[in-house]
Amino acid sequence: MRAFLKFDYNLLTKKILEDKLSDFGYKYTIQGFGEIEFHEKVPEAKLEELRYIFDEYGITIIENQKTVLVQKIKDIIHEMIYAEEVPNVKVSVYLAEKLNHSYGYLSNLFSDVTYTSIENYVILQKIEFAKQLFLNDKLSLTEIAFRLNYSSVAHLSKQFKNTTGITPSAFLRIIASRRERNL
């Protein structure tokens, strides 16, 4: 038997952080997705212990300021894409306003650190979310295109094929055949 799960990455990550930090013994506040403020000085040995604990969950403590800003860009993109209602604003404008930097600066920094563009990262994240929506919510292609703020179903289909190598309908056929085999 196979069970298909739907989960909220942000909620899951926040729960892990809260559980592990409550055991850690230092007062803290989660400032937003991906940022924790400790209310007291944490010794390096304790931070190392926390790094080890978080590493088990794929969570990394970042210290380089450029990498921190790139992570904030990624977090805001995730927040934007996975929101119940995707803000109807260009990613460039949204990022510049949220991070208080010009989009040109953010774009250059992102490319320097990740070796890909913000635009490409957004497309990859949207396609991954579209796959989840196909699998878990059983939404139609039209509903998913609307949910992810695509200008048209054709635009989503083209990006899906360019990213995955298959059309959304071929993806759905593959999933349907796998489900039938596993019944």
Side-chain angles (χ1 to χ4, degrees), residues 162-181:
N162 288 345
T163 303
T164 65
I166 59 174
T167 64
S169 54
F171 176 78
L172 289 171
R173 280 194 303 273
I174 291 167
I175 297 306
S177 76
R178 286 184 181 168
R179 284 183 176 160
E180 283 176 19
R181 277 186 276 157

Side-chain angles (χ1 to χ4, degrees), residues 150-168:
Y150 276 94
S151 57
S152 67
V153 171
H155 186 210
L156 169 58
S157 295
K158 183 177 180 183
Q159 281 191 347
F160 194 97
K161 179 152 176 35
N162 288 345
T163 303
T164 65
I166 59 174
T167 64

Side-chain angles (χ1 to χ4, degrees), residues 1-7 135-136 138 175 178-180 182-183:
M1 181 187 137
R2 185 178 289 196
F4 294 92
L5 307 173
K6 177 183 176 183
F7 47 89
L135 294 171
N136 300 326
K138 296 184 174 62
I175 297 306
R178 286 184 181 168
R179 284 183 176 160
E180 283 176 19
N182 291 321
L183 288 178

Side-chain angles (χ1 to χ4, degrees), residues 52-66:
Y52 179 77
I53 291 167
F54 282 170
D55 192 50
E56 179 181 354
Y57 297 94
I59 299 170
T60 306
I61 296 176
I62 304 168
E63 294 177 27
N64 175 306
Q65 288 304 309
K66 287 183 177 183

